Amino acid sequence: MKVMEPVNIGIIGLGTVGAGTVNLLERNANEISRRAGRHIKVKGAAVRDAARPRACSTSSLELGTDPFELTDDPTIDVIVELMGGETLAREIVIRALTNGKHVVTANKALIAVHGNEIFRVARENGLVVAFEAAVAGGVSIIKVLREGLAGNCIEQVIGIVNGTTNYILSGMSKSGRPFDEKLDEAKRLGYAEADPSFDIDGVDAAHKLTILSSIAFGIPLDFANVYVEGITGITSQDIAYAGDFGYRIKHLAIAKRIDSRIELRVHPCLIPVEHLLANVDGVMNAILVVGDAAGPTVHYGAGAGAEPTASSVVADIVDVVRTLTTDPENRVPHLAFQPHSLSPLRGGPMGDVETAYYLRLLALDQAGVLADVARILGQRGISIESIRQRGTSSSDTPVPIVIITHRTLESRIESSIPELESLPSIAQKVVKIRLESMASHPE
Ligand code: NAP
Ligand code: HSE
């Protein structure tokens, strides 16, 4: 039998994911080469500070600080970009592709924002850019959507796709810990982005939704058209009140086909406590995909962290190694659909979104307050499913009133809020959180 040369890879970034990848490639080298058909050798790595201690061994690789030494090294076959950020990462990936190297990346910001350009350059050069680790850490959701569900018309993709925000929300909910404490833990555990505002403001989840929706619906990557809200407005009080009504608050990334439109939104959401997604806690992620043939399928696993993410990076490296010998024209397309078959995204304004709502008002306990609130909602055709006043009060001490509405248009809720806030008996801004019943088919 002919002994094949090892495949040389260059890794850019040896932080949480990079070190996890080196460790996994070393620990499971034998199993991995049995699968890939070739031995995989980490020839070199680039970091910002070469003197910094690493969570992996660097004795058998060339360690430097210039990523372009790796992209320009003719002996390297695959560049693995695990550095993060958009600008330099884009330059590195484009340079690697123009130098004829395949690319593996875990960088969702890069793919969501520059993916259309990167895939075009990859196609022109007959190369693969693989990015399984960019969405939901160790969950192979890209492969599932791109290959496993290729026979379906996808109706919905709804996911908990950010480990940090789920870690914070479930910590606040289950053990009553404060937001900042859980965020600090998520940073320590290597879950959070270098700039954690990407996690808590919802941007990271929006990057991931951009990628998922493109692969699910055959549309170009279009990050600018995702509605984004983070979790910084969620209080322990809202988590407790939602629980009283039988709901949990989760940070969801939602892509839904509504007639010929596709809704793309990321925001906190009440979901029924008995739904699978409501029981996904800590750093775990889960993505519900509804296909017309497969029906609902749920894909669950660790959404962040060194080895779960490295698991997806290494799977991509193995895939790339396997494709080294296949005809570029006959590979699985980057975005699942053939590049000439992508349809333009037809989105729509958030005002057209139809869902139920949780509203929390702080009101003086005076005669007629509830009637005023009901009148304002009723005038807009918003029907109330439940309403509860929290606690007793005197007429000059405001108390929270929590309302769950039936499904209605967001534009109606938006127009009612200023009128509610202008009532003399309403003491504070109205808190609004969307609520999804999580029915697998549009109601
Ligand atoms: P990280 O721990 O901050 O590591 C980043 C690495 O990149 C560090 O080794 C850093 O070097 C290196 N680096 C930064 N700028 C550089 C430059 N200009 N030149 C050379 N090297 C440079 O980040 P991470 O958590 O591993 O994340 C890496 C990527 O994976 C990001 O795109 C992230 O979104 C994605 N991701 C992360 C996770 C996770 O759980 N952490 C999960 C999925 C995807 P120094 O160590 O010397 O500073
Ligand atoms: N910061 C990201 C998260 C890393 O918490 O989900 C995984 O993509």
Side-chain angles (χ1 to χ4, degrees):
M1 196 178 75
K2 190 177 156 209
V3 177
M4 306 273 281
E5 287 290 304
V7 173
N8 285 328
I9 67 172
I11 301 187
I12 298 165
L14 287 184
T16 303
V17 183
T21 300
V22 171
N23 287 333
L24 195 58
L25 284 168
E26 193 177 299
R27 189 173 77 233
N28 294 344
N30 191 34
E31 288 296 88
I32 291 166
S33 57
R34 283 175 63 210
R35 291 191 173 108
R38 305 268 292 270
H39 178 64
I40 294 160
K41 177 175 165 43
V42 183
K43 177 156 191 268
V47 293
R48 201 166 19 201
D49 175 1
R52 207 165 146 185
R54 300 284 149 198
C56 62
S57 160
T58 53
S59 56
S60 63
L61 55 85
E62 295 156 21
L63 186 64
T65 53
D66 181 3
F68 294 100
E69 273 183 16
L70 300 174
T71 58
D72 297 353
D73 179 342
T75 66
I76 286 182
D77 308 291
V78 183
I79 289 292
V80 182
E81 185 277 305
L82 303 173
M83 181 185 97
E86 284 172 35
T87 312
L88 182 57
R90 175 188 158 278
E91 270 180 59
I92 289 168
V93 165
I94 298 280
R95 177 93 142 247
L97 293 169
T98 47
N99 284 344
K101 298 181 197 320
H102 299 280
V103 171
V104 172
T105 180
N107 189 336
K108 45 275 165 131
L110 176 74
I111 298 297
V113 177
H114 298 296
N116 295 320
E117 178 198 12
I118 287 171
F119 298 140
R120 180 181 49 72
V121 176
R123 276 196 311 277
E124 286 167 2
N125 289 279
L127 295 162
V128 174
V129 177
F131 51 94
E132 182 68 69
V135 183
V139 185
S140 302
I141 187 64
I142 302 290
K143 207 179 236 323
V144 164
L145 279 173
R146 196 158 48 186
E147 298 176 41
L149 295 173
N152 287 253
C153 183
I154 304 294
E155 291 160 4
Q156 300 182 11
V157 180
I158 303 185
I160 295 170
V161 293
N162 182 274
T164 301
T165 48
N166 202 46
Y167 188 82
I168 295 171
L169 286 180
S170 43
M172 287 168 75
S173 162
K174 294 260 153 121
S175 47
R177 306 311 303 163
F179 186 105
D180 289 344
E181 181 184 309
K182 297 309 289 181
L183 174 58
D184 285 345
E185 281 174 26
K187 286 193 222 167
R188 245 191 342 267
L189 291 163
Y191 302 156
E193 293 302 298
D195 175 356
S197 69
F198 275 61
D199 298 291
I200 60 177
D201 292 339
V203 177
D204 178 76
H207 286 143
K208 292 165 177 165
L209 186 67
T210 303
I211 298 171
L212 290 176
S213 59
S214 180
I215 293 175
F217 301 115
I219 54 179
L221 296 152
D222 194 351
F223 172 65
N225 271 310
V226 182
Y227 172 83
V228 193
E229 238 178 70
I231 61 161
T232 50
I234 301 297
T235 62
S236 304
Q237 199 183 20
D238 292 313
I239 290 173
Y241 294 164
D244 293 349
F245 283 99
Y247 295 98
R248 294 224 170 95
I249 300 181
K250 291 289 178 190
H251 190 230
L252 294 187
I254 300 176
K256 280 189 189 177
R257 194 192 289 277
I258 313 267
D259 304 321
S260 61
R261 282 189 310 114
I262 291 168
E263 236 173 57
L264 297 176
R265 48 194 169 96
V266 167
H267 52 73
C269 202
L270 275 73
I271 54 177
V273 72
E274 64 276 6
H275 194 274
L276 275 176
L277 260 54
N279 295 286
V280 173
D281 289 328
V283 74
M284 305 310 275
N285 282 187
I287 302 108
L288 163 71
V289 183
V290 183
D292 63 343
T297 55
V298 177
H299 309 271
Y300 171 85
E307 292 225 346
T309 311
S311 161
S312 291
V313 172
V314 173
D316 273 350
I317 296 172
V318 170
D319 262 359
V320 167
V321 171
R322 285 173 177 152
T323 61
L324 287 176
T325 49
T326 55
D327 169 9
E329 295 301 315
N330 289 315
R331 291 183 186 142
V332 180
H334 291 111
L335 292 174
F337 291 69
Q338 296 299 334
H340 58 270
S341 309
L342 297 183
S343 359
L345 166 68
R346 281 203 55 236
M350 274 303 280
D352 289 353
V353 167
E354 194 181 321
T355 187
Y357 291 85
Y358 162 103
L359 301 175
R360 174 163 59 78
L361 299 78
L362 198 62
L364 294 172
D365 194 7
Q366 294 169 345
V369 178
L370 288 182
D372 283 343
V373 169
R375 174 181 53 76
I376 290 170
L377 297 179
Q379 278 168 347
R380 290 164 177 80
I382 302 168
S383 120
I384 296 174
E385 186 198 283
S386 331
I387 184 163
R388 277 189 212 171
Q389 179 177 309
R390 311 292 314 188
T392 52
S393 70
S394 60
S395 61
D396 51 2
T397 314
V399 287
I401 295 174
V402 179
I403 297 170
I404 304 284
T405 73
H406 285 291
R407 285 171 68 83
T408 185
L409 285 175
E410 174 121 347
S411 54
R412 294 186 186 170
I413 290 284
E414 280 302 313
S415 77
S416 72
I417 287 177
E419 203 176 332
L420 290 170
E421 287 172 347
S422 71
L423 289 172
S425 48
I426 298 296
Q428 218 182 45
K429 285 186 93 54
V430 173
V431 172
K432 173 199 83 184
I433 308 176
R434 299 170 190 89
L435 185 158
E436 291 282 337
S437 68
M438 302 300 289
S440 294
H441 293 278
E443 298 122 286

